[in-house]
Amino acid sequence: MDCLFCKIVAGQIPSTKVYEDDQVLAFRDIAPQAPTHILVIPKAHMASVAEVSPENSGVVAHIFEVIAQIAKAEGLENGYRVVSNCGDDAGQTVHHLHFHILGGKRLALEMA
Ligand code: 5GP
Ligand code: ZN
């Protein structure tokens, strides 16, 4: 599988991990857009939010539990943003589902 984030899961590409369990990996974004910029991904490949289904949505629920835990551990008590770009119009560049956690500064409000 020629997928960058599958390679990070497999340890073939190094990453700065902040959380890992049997289903989920979180690591720091290589090009941070905010003082805290972490990516949270399922270890099992799925391309984007568009592929979430009754069969695999359990891992997405688990990812949101992990996001809350990471935000606390990172000291983001002043707030943070969770973003998932889905498809070309959203500018998705890595086609393995991921949720950005952005925080540590007052974020711009524009969404489009
Ligand atoms: P997208 O644009 O698909 O929503 O987000 C992809 C994110 O992956 C970008 O924020 C980009 O900086 C990050 N990224 C791309 N390649 C790597 C890499 O090799 N390592 C890490 N840690 N992040 C990466
Ligand atoms: Zn993948």
Side-chain angles (χ1 to χ4, degrees), residues 44-79:
H45 183 88
M46 61 183 93
S48 74
V49 164
E51 290 191 358
V52 176
S53 69
E55 287 69 41
N56 62 24
S57 62
V59 71
V60 178
H62 181 54
I63 282 171
F64 275 83
E65 294 170 20
V66 168
I67 287 171
Q69 195 177 315
I70 290 171
K72 269 198 196 94
E74 293 284 322
L76 300 178
E77 59 280 324
N78 213 36

Side-chain angles (χ1 to χ4, degrees), residues 13-52:
I13 292 173
S15 67
T16 306
K17 291 178 190 177
V18 299
Y19 175 90
E20 182 170 21
D21 64 28
D22 57 331
Q23 294 184 82
V24 170
L25 180 66
F27 52 95
R28 296 199 188 275
D29 197 291
I30 205 169
Q33 306 293 309
T36 300
H37 188 171
I38 293 165
L39 302 173
V40 189
I41 70 171
K43 286 187 169 177
H45 183 88
M46 61 183 93
S48 74
V49 164
E51 290 191 358
V52 176

Side-chain angles (χ1 to χ4, degrees), residues 3 5 45-48 86-88 91-98:
C3 169
F5 287 175
H45 183 88
M46 61 183 93
S48 74
C86 178
D88 291 340
Q92 184 180 5
T93 59
V94 179
H95 296 275
H96 180 128
L97 178 64
H98 53 281

